[in-house]
Amino acid sequence: DLKFCEIENYSGDAYLGIDSGSTTTKLILITPDSRILYSHYQTNNGQPLDVIIAKLKEIYSKTCGRVKIRGSAVTGYGEDLIKSAIKADFGIVETVAHFKAALHFNPKVDFIIDIGGQDIKCFKIKNGAIDSIMLNEACSSGCGSFIQTFARAMGMEIDKFSQEGLYAKHPVELGS
């Protein structure tokens, strides 16, 4: 159950999370009681730091000094670069970040799939721990960048393309 809080009206502490993926960049700013103050998701066009700096400036302009970021964490493909560039407090391995987030929303989670820009990871969870991880490393078929490129080749945006795919009469294997 997601809870939101108006960033323009909030004063107090907050925590910043960044996922610097190979093709997209995501940011979230939350209150100590996990209410969402700000979230952003966009293609980074190979420039995740530019996206993050622009969004941090936006956050600071909306908060006018009322919000104190008490901690920050980065995950994803660009974890080390972004952690160093913005002096984030923590770098978290992507699999651990996904697992902890899934547990937060569903303590009984038993399977997680991450369709990333360059790979797909599947995690099996047993007894509250990651039991095994399967990685698509043979090719990028089915990954975010492949799907996005294919959608554009069809003259479609990714959101429309994915919706159309749900209604396919004869689905094909993406790796075929």
Side-chain angles (χ1 to χ4, degrees):
D1 186 28
L2 297 177
K3 296 175 186 157
F4 296 87
C5 183
E6 293 289 328
I7 194 169
E8 291 84 3
N9 301 325
Y10 179 78
S11 293
D13 296 340
Y15 298 90
L16 177 68
I18 299 171
D19 181 352
S20 180
S22 61
T23 59
T24 60
T25 299
K26 287 80 69 184
L27 289 90
I28 191 157
L29 186 68
I30 63 171
T31 64
D33 61 350
S34 300
R35 291 178 293 153
I36 298 170
L37 290 168
Y38 178 90
S39 66
H40 182 76
Y41 179 104
Q42 83 172 69
T43 301
N44 62 37
N45 296 316
Q47 301 296 324
L49 186 56
D50 292 348
V51 171
I52 292 164
I53 289 170
K55 295 304 150 189
L56 287 175
K57 286 179 179 178
E58 182 181 331
I59 289 169
Y60 286 119
S61 74
K62 288 183 176 196
T63 60
C64 301
R66 295 182 322 278
V67 174
K68 174 83 173 170
I69 297 176
R70 294 290 181 180
S72 56
V74 182
T75 192
Y77 183 80
E79 172 191 333
D80 291 334
L81 167 72
I82 302 304
K83 182 177 182 261
S84 178
I86 68 166
K87 299 187 180 350
D89 298 307
F90 302 99
I92 302 172
V93 175
E94 198 171 19
T95 52
V96 173
H98 289 305
F99 176 56
K100 293 291 187 179
L103 279 177
H104 174 80
F105 290 103
N106 181 1
K108 295 181 181 179
V109 66
D110 62 0
F111 185 79
I112 301 166
I113 185 167
D114 169 24
I115 301 175
Q118 302 297 325
D119 63 14
I120 298 174
K121 294 180 277 302
C122 299
F123 315 53
K124 286 186 179 179
I125 312 301
K126 283 188 183 172
N127 301 319
I130 297 173
D131 182 63
S132 64
I133 300 174
M134 295 155 281
L135 176 65
N136 154 351
E137 54 189 334
C139 68
S140 63
S141 294
C143 298
S145 60
F146 173 85
I147 294 170
Q148 184 174 32
T149 300
F150 199 91
R152 287 186 178 154
M154 301 289 291
M156 302 173 88
E157 290 299 317
I158 189 84
D159 55 345
K160 173 97 169 105
F161 182 76
S162 62
Q163 288 297 313
E164 291 292 323
L166 294 173
Y167 300 104
K169 291 182 178 138
H170 305 287
V172 296
E173 293 289 326
L174 283 173
S176 64

